[in-house]
Amino acid sequence: MVEISSQHGIEFEDAEGRSRRTVVAEDHGEVVAAGSLVASARHPARLFLVIAVAPEQRRRGLGSKLLSALRDGSDGRPLQARIRETDEPGLAFLRERGFGTLMRSRTGVVDPTQAETWIASNRGGFEFERPSRKDAARLHEEAYRMEHARWSPATERPLDESLQIFCGDSWLGEDAFAAPAGIAGLHGAPMAIAADELFLIAGTSEPDEALLRALVAASLAKAKAHGKKVSIEADEANEELWRILAELPAVLESDLLVLATDCG
């Protein structure tokens, strides 16, 4: 949610197809609401919408006015927004304006000491290697494109950008596992929110649930050796990881919904 809020900012447009347009509402010189439309070169099919209204200014039509102003200046692409399923007013606002559910994302925190039986039964006979930083970024990128092809096709990302996203300062390279068609990496802060947690990114470049299970199991075992819990995020479109998260003894957060105007 911090990432979503940080989309607000100065307007820009570059040659790579990325841009941002922001409008605000003021009350006696004080900004009380903001709305932004962001175009991503990575996911060009839709424009990402963010609207925030100060609590004491809500239900006065400010959100509607911001949305109207942003739509008037857009290029006609469908709009996309992310919101917690527990934000009932926000969901009602979007649904009343033509947004339908595009995807559901779920995050759960797993204590590996409570998942020992699952780890043992899913580790399988796979042999993994410790990948180089570049190989890890490449494998993560291949898995990302495969997973998003089902609902939000992604363009190729420059290697430097992939390295920063998947193997940046938070990446624990000593604890990564790789196979020719799969990768799993554990991350510390800032991707891991709590001090006693690590964040897991795992995926395969082609559907292979047995391999993905083995990668997750190996990562959970590694986290257990560190005395850490593991945070796992799964999109509903990634059916294999979604099933894995459902099986694990995880403490689940409220789902993050992705809504879009072409899913009404």
Side-chain angles (χ1 to χ4, degrees):
M1 301 308 290
V2 171
E3 178 188 351
I4 293 173
S5 297
S6 69
Q7 295 293 334
H8 294 303
I10 61 173
E11 296 187 2
F12 72 88
E13 186 171 357
D14 63 24
E16 303 298 324
R18 295 171 293 193
S19 67
R20 175 172 59 213
R21 179 167 181 263
T22 297
V23 294
V24 300
E26 294 184 347
D27 184 7
H28 295 90
E30 180 182 2
V31 174
V32 295
S36 294
L37 274 186
V38 180
S40 166
R42 181 63 168 159
H43 295 279
R46 301 180 182 89
L47 298 174
F48 181 46
L49 169 72
V50 185
I51 290 180
V53 181
E56 67 276 9
Q57 297 285 346
R58 291 173 185 168
R59 305 190 68 82
R60 296 177 55 192
L62 293 180
S64 297
K65 291 178 180 178
L66 291 175
L67 177 56
S68 178
L70 290 169
R71 275 179 158 159
D72 287 344
S74 74
D75 59 14
R77 274 181 282 179
L79 306 185
Q80 175 179 316
R82 289 183 289 178
I83 189 169
R84 288 288 179 194
E85 64 176 350
T86 50
D87 184 354
E88 295 182 2
L91 276 173
F93 174 86
L94 292 171
R95 294 196 186 283
E96 289 169 3
R97 288 154 184 81
F99 286 76
T101 302
L102 174 64
M103 185 50 53
R104 181 181 293 267
S105 181
R106 181 168 294 166
T107 300
V109 177
V110 181
D111 183 343
T113 62
Q114 299 178 7
E116 293 177 344
T117 300
W118 190 95
I119 294 170
S121 61
N122 285 277
R123 181 61 181 84
F126 292 93
E127 295 294 330
F128 298 130
E129 297 181 354
R130 182 185 301 162
S132 68
R133 187 167 174 257
K134 285 187 177 180
D135 283 343
R138 175 183 58 81
L139 288 166
H140 276 302
E141 195 60 50
E142 292 173 357
Y144 183 93
R145 288 200 300 271
M146 189 278 289
E147 294 162 7
H148 283 76
R150 309 180 191 185
W151 64 283
S152 184
T155 59
E156 291 194 27
R157 199 188 327 248
L159 177 60
D160 287 347
E161 190 175 337
S162 298
L163 286 168
Q164 182 59 38
I165 291 173
F166 295 115
C167 305
D169 293 339
S170 65
W171 184 58
L172 305 178
E174 297 292 314
D175 298 330
F177 297 95
I183 181 72
L186 289 168
H187 293 254
M191 292 191 72
I193 304 300
D196 64 343
E197 292 178 12
L198 297 174
F199 187 85
L200 173 63
I201 303 178
T204 58
S205 56
E206 56 189 44
D208 189 335
E209 188 163 342
L211 173 58
L212 184 58
R213 287 174 174 271
L215 286 164
V216 173
S219 299
L220 289 172
K222 179 66 71 171
K224 179 177 180 291
H226 290 311
K228 300 282 190 177
K229 299 176 183 178
V230 179
S231 179
I232 302 174
E233 181 179 323
D235 292 333
E236 196 170 16
N238 187 346
E239 298 173 0
E240 297 85 2
L241 189 57
W242 188 267
R243 281 193 290 269
I244 290 170
L245 184 56
E247 293 176 9
L248 286 165
V251 177
L252 301 176
E253 297 179 6
S254 59
D255 287 358
L256 183 63
L257 304 182
V258 180
L259 283 73
T261 54
D262 56 342
C263 295

